Amino acid sequence: MKELIFATNNKHKLEEVRNLLLGKAHIVSLAEAGLEGEIPETADTLQGNALQKAQWVWERSGKDCFADDTGLEVDALGGAPGVYSARYAGEHCSFDDNIDKLLAALEGNTNRKAAFRTVICLIEEGKPKYFEGKVEGCILTERYGKGGFGYDPVFMPNRFAVSFAEMPLDVKNQISHRGLAVKKLVEYLTQR
Ligand code: IMP
């Protein structure tokens, strides 16, 4: 089976993506690959960050690898926090800090439209290739559910009546931004 290093330090993402690629590719974590350190993420686009993270692994390992970068794009905030979603409430802020800031920014606003967008950069034999997934939905007025991570408790995808944090992981994976991007990666890896 093809081996791919996944350039993430987020254990939730690692679990999500491992489930999605089960039986299709063997996902090697950074720790298993013996790679340590802070992966830089300083580009101003999702594509740029995904490339930067994958390149960091490629340069150190010389092995096929991929990275993802995700942003929450909120309509009423002109697409913010977007590429800055992780640090929306400041450097070293928590998921809860980010949610508090988002709910405050949207307080009293009836336009709650938002989308998660993920870009995956796969580096194979040194060459980058991109895959994108997007899920549309809305920002709830308070937190619902304990599952997932990040903005999951306040994001409700269209055609569902629950937040991402209230869904079993396999349901979230089927419809999520990252799930859709990984599906495209899987199609690419298996149609050859
Ligand atoms: P990253 O740069 O891809 O790690 O994502 C940036 C930020 O977006 C994360 O720190 C989370 O706050 C948020 N995020 C990414 N994926 C998800 C998700 O599946 N659910 C909720 N929030 C997410």
Side-chain angles (χ1 to χ4, degrees), residues 13 16 41 53 68-70 85-86 95 98 116 149-152 164 172 177-178:
K13 272 194 195 175
E16 279 188 13
E41 205 176 324
K53 290 190 264 189
D68 77 318
D69 202 54
T70 295
S85 295
F95 290 145
N98 282 336
F116 273 115
F149 69 99
Y151 298 90
D152 278 349
F164 263 171
K172 178 186 170 191
H177 45 302
R178 197 163 26 258

Side-chain angles (χ1 to χ4, degrees), residues 91-103:
E91 286 299 325
H92 312 299
C93 64
S94 67
F95 290 145
D96 265 334
D97 297 336
N98 282 336
I99 291 180
D100 286 341
K101 180 166 177 183
L102 179 64
L103 293 181

Side-chain angles (χ1 to χ4, degrees), residues 1-185:
M1 206 185 312
K2 188 173 177 62
E3 274 201 5
L4 287 173
I5 303 174
F6 183 19
T8 185
N9 284 310
N10 180 325
K11 61 180 188 330
H12 299 278
K13 272 194 195 175
L14 186 65
E15 193 195 343
E16 279 188 13
V17 169
R18 273 203 167 128
N19 279 336
L20 285 159
L21 286 169
L22 213 59
K24 312 228 167 58
H26 178 60
I27 303 305
V28 179
S29 70
L30 289 175
E32 287 163 350
L35 296 173
E36 279 178 12
E38 190 84 3
I39 309 179
E41 205 176 324
T42 54
D44 57 9
T45 60
L46 298 178
Q47 181 162 331
N49 271 342
L51 173 64
Q52 194 180 26
K53 290 190 264 189
Q55 250 168 356
W56 186 91
V57 172
W58 167 257
E59 282 162 9
R60 280 156 186 79
S61 68
K63 295 199 172 131
D64 292 348
C65 57
F66 66 100
D68 77 318
D69 202 54
T70 295
L72 175 66
E73 299 172 338
V74 179
D75 212 50
L77 303 178
V83 72
Y84 306 109
S85 295
R87 289 156 286 152
Y88 182 44
E91 286 299 325
H92 312 299
C93 64
S94 67
F95 290 145
D96 265 334
D97 297 336
N98 282 336
I99 291 180
D100 286 341
K101 180 166 177 183
L102 179 64
L103 293 181
L106 290 179
E107 176 118 42
N109 201 321
T110 52
N111 178 7
R112 316 289 301 186
K113 274 203 285 184
F116 273 115
R117 200 157 62 82
T118 291
V119 175
I120 288 177
C121 175
L122 168 72
I123 297 188
E124 260 187 323
E125 292 166 20
K127 290 185 218 75
K129 196 162 173 52
Y130 298 93
F131 306 88
E132 186 174 319
K134 183 175 176 174
V135 60
E136 296 185 340
C138 65
I139 303 299
L140 299 163
T141 53
E142 58 184 283
R143 293 167 171 81
Y144 291 90
K146 297 266 174 241
F149 69 99
Y151 298 90
D152 278 349
V154 292
F155 183 83
M156 183 168 75
N158 288 349
R159 293 178 295 282
F160 284 79
V162 291
S163 76
F164 263 171
E166 293 177 292
M167 289 180 177
L169 186 57
D170 60 322
V171 177
K172 178 186 170 191
N173 273 342
Q174 276 170 35
I175 60 160
S176 80
H177 45 302
R178 197 163 26 258
L180 297 175
V182 172
K183 250 175 230 162
K184 290 183 189 168
L185 170 68

